[in-house]
């Protein structure tokens, strides 16, 4: 007999060889129908694998991420079987789960091209196979046998993957007529898969290398109930309506140009005003917290990034060095702001009394993202970070860290991000080779973050292996209006760059000491933050932030003169107004401007001109009555003031 310990610390005894499915059945038949996977001693496993020793277990249902993982991983294999049945000879790359669903990268050869129009056919075959309730069967295979199987199948992608695996660690999964190289876990059978939607076809370079063949990537999602799929498709439709690329074009916020280059956004006047207001908002907060502004160049000598370690880590994935007429002199487009800020710190001697020093910069950096990974403003090659670097004594770390947390929460409150998860990202406990710095410094940095979060009363999740190469960090994962998670703000403790740049301060003992560095970016990057904000608000920005607060619509051309007077009065009163004096009917003007998501629409006609008033309409609420001009200015200013006061009063 073996002892099985459950999450509530209760213990039951079972015969050795018991499976997760057996355990679920022993608790209740209903649970056995709902459970999808099991964690055994921190290892996620199939429900059908035997447990032979005492173990701590947790059963996972659809509501758990681990349950969805097994469900969607199994669905990826089933989609592959459907594809192989319809397109014999297809070669398969990888088929992982993603946040919502799964994909598989495939190579159907040069003569066959799968398009979106082909997805219904694959979907139909998928449903047919799922209804057969095929078992997922795991088998351990030797490396020689694995190579032999895929050599006979002539699948070069699987052969490449197998060549990198150690003998004794390789497993296959088979369902129906399809066998795949896979660690698992999977469902016991295809029976729970009741609803499927294959979403789209895209291109993806094999192993992310644009010098290698571009494969066909097919995305899909499945659910245990048809109603779940229906609800998801409604949500997906809403997400498409909120797509920041679509709204950004409609509102004339930003654009891209092939001549300028992929992944290099052009901020149009309205977008620049939106971005400027966001920057000014943060700058005002930073002044209150003692930050000092700095400005650094867009390029730096290659040796700067060799010293910082960024060249070794990012050199192959960045824009290549720029050679000057001077022999051997090379510069790089700036991939990070932090090395420059270290050099600013070194411009003069520092005392312990000077610390903390807080340098802040909206600095534009450049990273060479592959073309297939570029996506609107969320994945670009040139972006501006709301970067700041704090140089402090070890005894100041926690207080500084907590102040940065306060700034980030203030921003989330201001922009109505109500749901967020804080993730403490630590080293991979099994592999320290990819991190820079001493064991002692890493331990200090990780402990400082954990204690700061505890003292702020924050609920955090810990993710091992997600730390930056130079230090642990705290990431803020925000949920938008559609429930999607985005990584925005980040705070990182760094003992390593001060070592690399030999930063010093004179302590109270009159000896030289090394400062600790904190990296922080509440927005993350202006581009990504604006993209998330657009989709979160559907382009209906808060009144204090929106580029255009008011549009003035004269009823006819004879009222244009008064409309211009209103326009000038509002702009002189610091109200951001625009004038729509097109020769169009007032109904069309109203409809067109509501689509532009401008909060207030002012209609002026004969009566308004005579009385020096405006008829006020509010986006989404309709008629708000007739007001005098100075009355409307007070009305708008009060609404903005109320918004900002509520943020200040309720931040904690």
């Amino acid at each position: 007999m073996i002892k099985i310990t459950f999450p509530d610390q209760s213990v039951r005894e079972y015969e050795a060889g018991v499976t997760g499915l057996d355990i679920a059945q022993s608790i209740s038949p209903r649970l056995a129908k709902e459970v999808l996977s099991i964690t055994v001693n921190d290892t996620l496993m199939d429900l059908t694998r035997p447990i032979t020793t005492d173990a701590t277990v947790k059963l996972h249902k659809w509501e758990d991420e681990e349950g969805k993982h097994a469900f969607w991983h199994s669905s990826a294999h089933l989609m592959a079987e459907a594809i192989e049945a319809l397109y014999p000879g297809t070669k398969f790359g990888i088929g992982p789960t993603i946040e919502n669903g799964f994909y598989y990268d495939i190579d159907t050869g040069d003569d066959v091209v799968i398009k979106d129009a082909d997805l219904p056919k694959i979907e139909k075959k998928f449903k047919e196979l799922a209804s057969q309730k095929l078992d997922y069967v795991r088998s351990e295979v030797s490396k020689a046998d694995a190579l032999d199987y895929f050599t006979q199948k002539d699948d070069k992608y699987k052969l490449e993957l197998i060549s990198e695996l150690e003998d004794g660690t390789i497993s296959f999964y088979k369902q129906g007529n399809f066998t795949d190289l896979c660690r698992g876990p999977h469902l016991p059978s295809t029976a729970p898969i009741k609803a499927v939607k294959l979403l789209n076809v895209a291109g993806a370079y094999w192993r992310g290398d644009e010098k290698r063949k571009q494969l066909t990537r097919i995305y899909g999602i499945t659910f245990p109930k048809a109603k779940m799929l229906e609800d998801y498709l409604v949500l997906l439709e809403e997400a498409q309506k909120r797509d920041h690329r679509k709204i950004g074009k409609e509102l004339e916020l930003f654009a891209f140009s092939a001549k300028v280059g992929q992944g290099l956004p052009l901020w149009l006047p309205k977008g620049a005003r939106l971005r400027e207001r966001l920057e000014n908002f943060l700058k005002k907060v930073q002044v209150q917290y003692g930050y000092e502004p700095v400005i650094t160049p867009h390029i730096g000598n290659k040796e700067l990034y060799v010293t910082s370690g960024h060249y070794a880590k990012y050199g192959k994935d960045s824009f290549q060095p720029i050679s000057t007429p001077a022999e051997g002199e090379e510069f790089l487009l700036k991939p990070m702001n932090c090395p420059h800020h270290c050099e600013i710190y070194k411009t003069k001697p520092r005392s312990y009394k000077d610390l903390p020093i807080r340098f802040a910069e909206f600095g534009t950096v450049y990273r060479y993202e592959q073309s297939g990974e570029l996506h609107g403003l969320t994945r670009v090659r040139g972006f501006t970070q709301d970067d700041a670097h704090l140089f402090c004594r070890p005894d100041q770390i926690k207080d500084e860290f907590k102040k940065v947390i306060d700034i980030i929460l203030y921003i989330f409150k201001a922009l109505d991000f109500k749901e967020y998860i804080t993730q403490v990202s630590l080293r991979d406990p099994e592999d320290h080779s990819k991190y820079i710095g001493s064991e002692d410094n890493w331990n200090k940095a990780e402990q400082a973050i954990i204690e700061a979060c505890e003292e702020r009363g924050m609920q955090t999740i810990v993710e091992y292996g997600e730390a930056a190469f130079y230090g642990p960090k705290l990431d803020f994962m925000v949920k938008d209006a559609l429930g999607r998670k985005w990584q925005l703000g980040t705070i990182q403790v760094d003992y390593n760059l001060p070592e690399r740049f030999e930063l010093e301060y004179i302590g109270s003992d009159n000896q030289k000491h090394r400062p600790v560095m904190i990296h922080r970016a509440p927005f993350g990057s202006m581009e990504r933050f604006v993209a998330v904000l657009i989709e979160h608000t559907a382009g209906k920005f808060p009144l204090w932030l929106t580029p255009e607060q008011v549009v003035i619509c004269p009823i006819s051309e004879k009222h244009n003169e008064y409309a211009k007077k209103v326009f000038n009065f509002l702009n002189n009163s610091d109200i951001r107004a625009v004038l729509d004096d097109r020769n169009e009917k007032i109904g069309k003007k109203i409809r067109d401007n509501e689509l532009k998501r401008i909060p207030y629409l002012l209609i002026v006609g004969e009566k308004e001109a005579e009385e020096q008033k405006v008829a006020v309409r509010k986006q989404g609420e309709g008629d708000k009555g007739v007001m005098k001009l100075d009355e409307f200015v007070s009305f708008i200013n009060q609404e903005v003031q109320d918004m900002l006061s509520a943020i200040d009063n309720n931040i904690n």
Side-chain angles (χ1 to χ4, degrees):
M1 302 295 288
I2 59 172
K3 292 181 179 180
I4 298 297
T5 304
F6 295 92
D8 64 358
Q9 300 307 306
S10 63
V11 179
R12 292 191 184 191
E13 288 193 345
Y14 295 89
E15 289 187 11
V18 68
T19 68
L21 203 55
D22 295 331
I23 294 171
Q25 184 68 43
S26 74
I27 297 172
S28 80
R30 179 174 179 178
L31 178 61
K33 289 182 179 179
E34 295 179 347
V35 70
L36 301 173
S37 64
I38 184 172
T39 294
V40 180
N41 295 334
D42 299 324
T43 300
L44 190 61
M45 290 174 38
D46 308 313
L47 287 169
T48 52
R49 289 183 68 179
I51 304 169
T52 57
T53 61
D54 292 351
T56 298
V57 306
K58 184 177 181 182
L59 296 165
H60 304 295
K61 300 193 293 185
W62 174 259
E63 294 76 19
D64 303 313
E65 292 298 320
E66 296 90 343
K68 289 186 177 74
H69 175 82
F71 198 95
W72 286 333
H73 198 178
S74 303
S75 300
H77 280 228
L78 194 58
M79 181 177 72
E81 183 178 4
I83 291 169
E84 189 169 64
L86 295 170
Y87 304 94
T90 296
K91 297 174 176 58
F92 294 89
I94 59 171
T97 63
I98 52 178
E99 185 175 359
N100 286 300
F102 55 90
Y103 68 78
Y104 219 122
D105 289 342
I106 63 172
D107 181 357
T108 52
D110 297 332
D111 298 330
V112 178
V113 178
I114 295 179
K115 300 178 181 177
D116 286 331
D118 300 311
L119 296 183
K121 178 173 66 173
I122 302 172
E123 204 174 280
K124 181 180 178 182
K125 187 66 176 177
F126 183 108
K127 292 176 182 176
E128 176 192 319
L129 294 170
S131 68
Q132 296 175 18
K133 301 181 180 179
L134 305 168
D135 290 335
Y136 287 94
V137 180
R138 177 188 174 90
S139 60
E140 307 288 340
V141 295
S142 67
K143 187 168 185 175
D145 287 345
L147 290 169
D148 182 60
Y149 178 83
F150 283 104
T151 297
Q152 291 184 40
K153 201 174 180 183
D154 191 28
D155 195 325
K156 60 184 179 182
Y157 305 107
K158 296 297 182 184
L159 289 171
E160 181 178 327
L161 294 173
I162 293 167
S163 70
E164 299 169 1
L165 300 176
E166 291 184 14
D167 204 354
T169 65
I170 300 171
S171 57
F172 283 0
Y173 277 84
K174 183 179 189 297
Q175 91 276 348
N177 295 317
F178 183 75
T179 299
D180 205 354
L181 170 72
C182 187
R183 292 193 190 95
H186 287 283
L187 303 173
S189 77
T190 63
I193 305 173
K194 302 295 186 184
V196 59
K197 181 66 178 177
L198 301 188
L199 299 167
N200 63 287
V201 177
Y205 293 107
W206 171 233
R207 309 196 85 171
D209 185 348
E210 59 186 2
K211 295 178 181 178
R212 306 190 70 176
K213 183 166 184 177
Q214 188 175 62
L215 306 182
T216 300
R217 176 171 292 180
I218 300 180
Y219 288 92
I221 194 165
T222 51
F223 293 91
K225 295 179 182 178
K227 180 64 167 60
M228 289 180 175
L229 175 59
E230 292 172 11
D231 292 344
Y232 176 78
L233 293 177
V234 170
L235 193 68
L236 194 62
E237 184 179 358
E238 179 62 24
Q240 290 169 346
K241 291 178 184 176
R242 290 170 176 255
D243 190 316
H244 75 279
R245 296 167 298 178
K246 173 178 175 289
I247 293 176
K249 184 176 182 180
E250 292 171 354
L251 300 187
E252 299 177 5
L253 300 177
F254 61 89
F256 289 91
S257 163
K259 283 190 171 66
V260 172
Q262 286 185 302
L264 300 172
L266 301 170
W267 290 89
L268 307 181
K270 293 178 186 177
R273 286 196 290 271
L274 172 70
R275 176 171 153 167
E276 182 180 43
R277 293 192 70 79
L278 281 171
E279 290 184 5
N280 289 340
F281 175 72
L282 181 54
K283 285 177 181 177
K284 183 179 178 181
V285 175
Q286 288 177 164
V287 168
Q288 297 170 359
Y289 279 85
Y291 286 78
E292 297 180 288
V294 296
I295 299 174
T296 60
H298 288 249
I299 64 173
N301 192 292
K302 176 183 170 182
E303 291 306 311
L304 177 69
Y305 308 112
V306 170
T307 300
S308 69
H310 290 106
Y311 185 76
K313 286 288 178 180
Y314 298 127
K316 293 180 181 178
D317 300 319
S318 296
F319 288 95
Q320 293 306 295
I322 304 165
S323 298
T324 73
E327 186 176 350
E329 187 177 53
E330 291 183 313
F331 286 80
L332 290 179
L333 288 172
K334 179 170 63 174
M336 290 282 195
N337 297 303
C338 34
H340 296 252
H341 291 188
C342 288
E343 288 298 304
I344 291 176
Y345 179 92
K346 291 181 71 174
T347 55
K348 65 178 184 179
R350 309 286 181 176
S351 161
Y352 74 98
K353 295 179 181 179
D354 300 326
L355 304 184
I357 293 171
R358 309 176 186 95
F359 294 141
E361 175 183 18
F362 286 86
T364 302
V365 298
Y366 303 88
R367 314 243 181 103
Y368 185 77
E369 301 285 356
Q370 294 181 7
S371 60
E373 295 179 340
L374 299 174
H375 182 83
L377 292 180
T378 61
R379 198 74 178 264
V380 289
R381 288 174 172 168
F383 55 94
T384 302
Q385 293 180 305
D386 57 321
D387 229 347
H389 296 95
L390 291 63
F391 302 88
C392 59
R393 304 189 308 266
D395 63 293
Q396 296 172 323
I397 293 175
K398 275 200 296 184
D399 283 343
E400 290 303 304
F401 203 89
K402 288 187 287 187
K403 289 175 184 177
V404 177
I405 290 174
D406 292 342
I407 292 174
I408 292 175
L409 296 183
Y410 182 83
I411 290 170
F412 288 173
K413 178 72 175 178
L415 296 168
D416 200 33
F417 287 110
K418 296 177 180 177
E419 293 188 60
Y420 56 87
I421 298 168
T422 47
Q423 175 180 305
V424 179
S425 300
L426 305 179
R427 284 173 299 175
D428 182 341
E430 304 298 327
D431 180 11
H432 290 183
S433 64
K434 54 188 175 183
Y435 306 105
I436 296 171
S438 72
E439 188 76 14
D440 184 50
N441 281 346
W442 269 92
N443 291 335
K444 289 179 185 176
E446 291 178 336
Q447 190 61 30
I449 291 180
I450 292 168
E451 289 180 4
C453 291
E454 288 175 350
E455 291 178 21
R456 273 291 179 265
M458 299 179 68
Q459 297 293 320
T460 61
I461 59 173
V462 176
E463 290 290 345
Y464 293 95
E466 293 297 318
F469 76 90
Y470 49 79
K473 58 181 179 173
L474 179 68
D475 291 325
F476 289 77
M477 316 295 288
V478 171
K479 276 191 177 181
D480 67 11
L482 296 179
R484 299 170 301 181
K485 287 189 292 186
W486 302 89
Q487 182 184 326
L488 295 180
T490 184
I491 321 172
Q492 303 165 2
V493 175
D494 185 357
Y495 284 88
N496 298 301
L497 283 185
E499 286 282 351
R500 285 176 165 268
F501 281 92
E502 300 179 343
L503 305 185
E504 297 175 342
Y505 67 90
I506 302 300
S508 58
D509 58 359
N510 210 33
Q511 300 298 309
K512 292 180 179 180
H513 297 272
R514 194 77 75 207
V516 180
M517 191 173 177
I518 297 177
H519 307 245
R520 54 110 273 203
F523 290 138
S525 82
M526 299 306 297
E527 286 72 14
R528 183 179 177 83
F529 192 87
V530 168
V532 175
L533 183 62
I534 289 171
E535 298 193 5
H536 179 60
T537 63
K540 297 177 182 178
F541 304 114
L543 185 61
W544 65 268
L545 177 64
T546 188
E548 298 171 335
Q549 296 173 309
V550 178
V551 58
I552 304 136
C553 297
I555 291 175
S556 69
E557 286 185 318
K558 64 181 180 179
H559 307 119
N560 283 355
E561 185 176 344
Y562 177 62
K564 289 177 183 176
K565 179 181 176 182
V566 173
F567 170 76
N568 290 330
F569 182 85
L570 293 178
N571 278 290
N572 289 334
S573 303
D574 292 327
I575 303 297
R576 299 185 294 281
V578 291
L579 176 61
D580 185 354
D581 57 0
R582 295 174 299 160
N583 186 20
E584 297 283 0
K585 291 183 178 180
I586 190 63
K588 178 172 174 54
K589 289 183 181 181
I590 291 172
R591 288 191 299 273
D592 289 350
N593 285 293
E594 284 185 341
L595 290 174
K596 292 179 181 178
R597 302 165 176 82
I598 300 174
Y600 281 97
L601 190 148
L602 305 184
I603 299 171
V604 296
E606 198 71 38
K607 185 176 180 182
E608 287 77 19
E610 289 177 2
E611 298 178 359
Q612 299 292 288
K613 295 182 177 179
V614 289
V616 182
R617 289 175 61 91
K618 187 173 183 180
Q619 173 80 238
E621 296 182 16
D623 186 22
K624 305 297 284 186
V626 177
M627 301 181 192
K628 292 182 179 179
L629 292 182
D630 56 355
E631 183 183 357
F632 178 71
V633 169
S634 297
F635 176 78
I636 286 283
N637 286 335
Q638 188 61 51
E639 184 173 340
V640 170
Q641 185 58 45
D642 289 346
M643 284 181 175
L644 297 178
S645 295
I647 295 163
D648 290 335
N649 293 336
N650 299 315
I651 186 59
N652 294 318

